[in-house]
Structures are given as structure tokens and as C-alpha cells.
């Protein structure tokens, strides 16, 4: 992909480790149903979410305050930091209950994430397709990855300037999926 820096490691964690992480995340994370305002109406987001991180900064997104780190999330953060060589202070979690749960096209380009953010993304549970499309040149063909149970996806460099990503809905029967995106918030 031009103007992107994306790495994908399909088996960052073993199947056994990944099964354990999925179960623990499902049970321990404070999953919330958030709503977005659309055409003057409150619409339930098509997934559950949670936000954990260091305190002491404000964030203009949907949730106003991160929850304090759980030991489980610190363990995952450390594994990701060792592998990527980056430092993260915040994690956004998504729980896709079924194929109709999804995330629309967007870039992780909030000003709080800095100029060229490094986003490290872990996937557990059902495999889902992850799409990339160029922000300017929509004629460029989209690229898709199938994010596996226990995988690590790293997006950094100029990626968020030039590309959007999404988790499309699927009509195929899929197992629930948990995603964690580690970020550094300034
Ligand atoms: O579920 C995923 O893999 C994508 C999550 C994502 O893009 C985000 O949280 O910003
Ligand atoms: Mn994103």
C-alpha cells in the first residue's frame, strides 16, 4: 500500500493464550453500549466499547474519561510494547457481538494522537475482515485483511493521513470478536 506503514502478525499469541485472553476480556472489561447522534436521533453504536488508560488528559471523543488500567490490559500492553518498540498510554476496546456489528470507514487522526500515530491492534475471537481505502483517491482499489484470533496489526507512519479503515458488516455467521487498539494520547 502506498503512503502507508502497516504490519500484520497473524499469530502474535498462541491459540491457547488467545482463548484465555478472549474469555478474560469478555468477563473483566466494563463493556458499554454507547450512542451516537445521527440526524437528531440517538442511535446505538453497532458494537460495545470501553476505554482504559492513564488519567490526566481530556479527550474529545465519545467517552469523556478512561477507566483505570486492569492488570490484564497492562499485560497485553506490555506484550505489544515489547513487540513494536512503541509506548502506549491508552486502549480502546471494541466488542463485535455478531456479523451485523461493525465499524464504519474512518482514520484514527484525532489531534490528541499526534502527527503520525502508531496504533497497535489486537484481535481475539471470530475472524473479521478489515478494510483499507485511500482517503483522497477512492478509485484505488480497497485492500482487505482477515484479522485472526491472536493477531497483531500495527498501523503507523503516514497511514492515517492517506488511508481509512473499517470492519464491514458480514452476513456470514461469525463468532463474537474482541479488538483492542493501543494508542498514545498526548
Ligand atoms: O476492530 C477493529 O479491528 C478496528 C477498530 C478501530 O479501527 C478503532 O477502534 O479505531
Ligand atoms: Mn480505527
Amino acid at each position: 500500500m502506498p503512503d502507508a506503514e502497516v504490519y500484520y502478525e497473524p499469530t502474535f499469541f498462541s491459540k491457547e493464550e488467545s482463548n484465555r485472553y478472549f474469555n478474560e476480556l469478555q468477563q473483566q472489561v466494563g463493556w458499554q453500549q454507547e450512542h451516537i447522534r445521527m440526524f437528531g436521533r440517538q442511535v446505538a453504536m453497532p458494537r460495545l466499547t470501553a476505554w482504559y488508560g492513564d488519567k490526566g488528559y481530556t479527550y474529545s471523543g465519545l467517552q469523556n474519561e478512561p477507566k483505570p488500567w486492569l492488570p490484564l490490559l497492562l499485560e497485553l500492553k506490555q506484550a505489544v510494547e515489547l513487540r513494536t518498540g512503541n509506548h502506549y498510554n491508552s486502549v480502546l476496546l471494541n466488542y463485535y457481538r455478531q456479523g451485523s456489528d461493525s465499524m464504519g470507514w474512518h482514520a484514527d487522526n484525532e489531534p490528541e494522537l499526534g502527527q503520525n500515530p502508531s496504533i497497535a491492534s489486537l484481535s481475539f475471537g471470530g475472524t473479521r475482515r478489515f478494510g483499507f481505502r485511500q482517503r483522497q483517491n477512492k478509485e484505488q482499489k480497497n485492500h482487505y485483511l482477515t484479522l485472526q484470533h491472536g493477531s497483531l496489526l500495527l498501523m503507523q507512519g503516514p497511514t492515517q493521513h492517506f488511508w481509512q479503515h473499517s470492519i464491514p458488516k458480514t452476513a456470514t455467521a461469525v463468532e463474537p470478536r474482541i479488538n483492542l487498539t493501543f494508542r498514545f494520547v498526548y
Side-chain angles (χ1 to χ4, degrees):
M1 280 162 47
D3 304 314
E5 196 181 326
V6 176
Y7 303 93
Y8 178 58
E9 188 164 333
T11 49
F12 180 56
F13 291 116
S14 71
K15 188 154 186 242
E16 292 68 36
E17 286 174 306
S18 304
N19 290 344
R20 175 172 70 86
Y21 283 131
F22 180 90
N23 290 330
E24 292 182 356
L25 288 162
Q26 190 180 40
Q27 285 161 24
Q28 295 181 27
V29 170
W31 297 108
Q32 292 183 314
Q33 173 68 73
E34 300 286 348
H35 294 79
I36 40 169
R37 251 191 118 66
M38 250 173 117
F39 308 114
R41 282 172 183 236
Q42 290 286 104
V43 179
M45 288 175 82
R47 60 187 178 278
L48 303 181
T49 58
W51 183 30
Y52 286 80
D54 298 349
K55 289 207 171 151
Y57 52 81
T58 54
Y59 185 72
S60 63
L62 290 158
Q63 297 132 312
N64 353 329
E65 268 288 295
K67 291 183 163 72
W69 290 105
L70 301 172
L72 169 64
L73 296 175
L74 288 174
E75 183 181 319
L76 290 168
K77 178 167 99 77
Q78 193 185 30
V80 165
E81 287 178 335
L82 280 171
R83 185 72 183 104
T84 62
N86 296 324
H87 180 60
Y88 302 100
N89 64 7
S90 168
V91 64
L92 214 69
L93 296 99
N94 296 296
Y95 190 113
Y96 302 86
R97 296 156 292 187
Q98 66 243 333
S100 58
D101 275 355
S102 63
M103 184 169 304
W105 290 107
H106 70 283
D108 296 323
N109 58 358
E110 290 85 2
E112 301 87 325
L113 298 177
Q115 189 43 6
N116 283 330
S118 163
I119 314 276
S121 169
L122 294 176
S123 296
F124 297 106
T127 56
R128 294 289 299 260
R129 282 200 334 146
F130 184 87
F132 284 103
R133 78 170 182 197
Q134 283 209 335
R135 281 169 74 180
Q136 300 293 335
N137 183 2
K138 304 249 163 82
E139 268 108 78
Q140 263 267 345
K141 73 168 170 39
N142 295 356
H143 295 263
Y144 288 92
L145 274 172
T146 301
L147 297 182
Q148 290 192 34
H149 186 40
S151 68
L152 169 64
L153 175 74
L154 179 64
M155 297 185 279
Q156 56 186 32
T159 313
Q160 304 303 323
H161 293 277
F162 297 102
W163 295 85
Q164 293 180 322
H165 53 274
S166 72
I167 298 282
K169 290 185 199 304
T170 174
T172 315
V174 285
E175 293 297 316
R177 168 175 181 265
I178 291 175
N179 164 258
L180 300 84
T181 56
F182 290 91
R183 298 136 186 267
F184 189 90
V185 182
Y186 288 93

